[in-house]
Amino acid sequence: MIKVTYIHPDGSEETVEGREGDSVMSTALAQGVDGIVAECGGSMMCATCHCHVDPDWTDRTGARKDGEEDMLESAASPVDEFSRLSCQIKLTPELDGLRVRLPEEQV
Amino acid sequence: MTLIEGHRPVTPDQSIPVWDTDPYDPAVLADPYPWWAELRERGEIVYIPKWSAFAVGRYEVTKTTFSDHEVFVSSRGVGLNDFKLGDPWRPPSIILEVDPPAHTRTRKVMSRALSPKVAKGLGEQFRAAADTLVDALLERGEVEGVSDVAEAFPVSVFPRAVGMTDVHKRHLVDYGAIVFNALGPDNAIRRAAMERAPEVAAWINAACARDRLTEDGLGGMIYAAADEGEIEAGEAAMLVRSFLSAGVDTTVTGIGNALWCFSRNPDQWEALKADPKLIRPAFEEVLRLTSPVHTFCRTADRDTEVAGHPIEEGAKVLCALGSANMDPDKWDDPEAFRIDRKPMGHLAFGAGIHGCVGQNIARAELEALLGAMIERVDRIEPAGDAIWRPNNAVHALDRLPLRLIAK
Ligand code: HEM
């Protein structure tokens, strides 16, 4: 299992376990972590699973996927260089311990 | 080798249940719910001898198969014909019927043109058209839900959003129906569609040309991407064609099915009037319960397995999205229409890399129409029997007589 920590806008943290191959988005939904809407279900057609990857982890989460940039333009909260669509980050063993911050708003 | 419906006949592994049935029987298409229940009952995957194809309908296996784009490809067609073994009736779609990396390139251009931001920008103009339409409908009281509402609304807003300079209601609605019927076997429904195809397709193809579109619409955005060199000029016309294949009949069906749901569940209409925030989740529930796109296929591009059963290369797998959306193992009391259900993960828009690229537009249309209706329409009552129109891939109404009672 791969541990992921979601940091809410109020600073509170939730750490849950996900399966290899699942996304940071689907892991949050499966474990009942609030703050991710994922209206399109992971087809990269909305920006309601926006998250900010902790700067220490961006090397391992890698670059944004093709088309992700365009979709982030529709995000409800401000986007920065650490912004990602959490549906596009797939869990791998090297992401064990990943930390992501959730934005104020998704819609 | 003799092909069956344009694909290679397959020999099912002995572990796979054989079901002597026809999913494309007009009676099944008109009321697919019992067929879906039996499909789920019979196993993770079944073999259907009549079309020498497999079918899946339980939630998990349907989702997994449908979204496994590396093994279950779209480039060999999302209907029964295998494009590797024969040319389809029209040049393949360069988004729906391709795999990465070709898909990634065209999808990027399309998803930018149909982003949530773009859809939001269209909201106001959709809403104004909805206000006008609903006022006119209320003057009449008794309406035919399919043609007066479900067809009338998208045709009044979508071609304009695309930037089309001329509109032919019948051709626009029927083109989608033809494309979707073509995904099935060579049955009477498909033959009737194919008879109309030359005339309708010629009109549609001509309407996709740059000089027939305004610069500031969705179509203009696609041609602008060609100017930037992201796609080729010829590809832009093909992508505009995709708007018209996939963007009209689908929303027509979504609206018709929404009216059907609310006219049959007046308590849910009361709930919607009381809480406009439920408009978006209500549409998701309409989609889950009625699956406007009921079945698309995938083709195994190599020998593989589905739920532990061996499947050979070239096999067609019917993915019954409508069945997955009714699976009691996934959904609590699936038959019930509950607008506050928030059915995350339904498969009505597909899943994975091909997941509906037009979903934001579809939601914006429904949000505008239902928004206009809850402010004006007190009750939506059946004024006769609803009649479904069998289509090989779309679960749509043919007629829906309704009585609209003003607030
Ligand atoms: C209620 C309305 C709609 C429904 C139920 C629906 C359903 C679907 C489904 C199930 C797919 C997946 C196909 C597959 O994976 O093989 C899809 C893809 C697609 N849809 Fe929609 N759709 C709707 C509205 C729209 C609209 C309004 C547009 C255009 C503006 C559109 C354009 C497309 C396109 C171009 C694709 C292909 C995407 C790809 O292959 O990457 N759809 N749709």
Side-chain angles (χ1 to χ4, degrees), chain A:
Chain A
M1 294 304 260
I2 297 151
K3 279 200 177 64
V4 184
T5 300
Y6 299 83
I7 307 157
H8 293 282
D10 66 3
S12 65
E13 297 189 3
E14 266 179 280
T15 300
V16 300
E17 293 193 336
R19 281 183 316 207
E20 184 171 357
D22 282 354
S23 69
V24 171
M25 176 277 276
S26 63
T27 302
L29 292 189
Q31 307 290 330
V33 176
D34 283 339
I36 287 181
V37 177
E39 186 168 53
C40 83
S43 295
M44 210 160 60
M45 263 328 295
C46 72
T48 65
C49 69
H50 177 199
C51 73
H52 305 269
V53 174
D54 183 294
D56 288 344
W57 287 86
T58 48
D59 279 355
R60 275 163 284 181
T61 51
R64 290 176 188 161
K65 297 275 162 52
D66 222 358
E68 197 176 329
E69 199 99 14
D70 288 323
M71 218 37 68
L72 278 166
E73 276 183 30
S74 297
S77 290
V79 169
D80 62 24
E81 61 188 295
F82 306 112
S83 287
R84 291 293 309 269
L85 294 179
S86 58
C87 70
Q88 298 301 314
I89 307 173
K90 296 275 180 294
L91 297 183
T92 56
E94 65 160 357
L95 289 182
D96 191 19
L98 175 67
R99 295 171 61 81
V100 300
R101 196 161 54 73
L102 299 174
E104 286 286 340
E105 286 181 327
Q106 295 284 16
V107 282

Side-chain angles (χ1 to χ4, degrees), chain B residues 308-347:
Chain B
H309 303 283
I311 300 289
E312 66 190 82
E313 187 274 337
K316 285 282 179 182
V317 184
L318 280 67
C319 299
L321 306 176
S323 172
N325 284 341
M326 293 297 289
D327 186 348
D329 287 344
K330 168 73 181 174
W331 314 102
D332 169 43
D333 196 6
E335 317 267 324
F337 176 60
R338 295 203 309 243
I339 62 171
D340 61 354
R341 183 192 294 267
K342 306 202 166 96
M344 263 303 305
H346 70 70
L347 299 184

Side-chain angles (χ1 to χ4, degrees), chain B residues 44-65:
Chain B
E44 290 286 349
I45 182 163
V46 305
Y47 176 72
I48 298 174
K50 187 170 173 76
W51 308 119
S52 194
F54 297 98
V56 291
R58 293 183 184 171
Y59 180 83
E60 284 302 333
V61 68
T62 305
K63 182 175 178 172
T64 312
T65 309

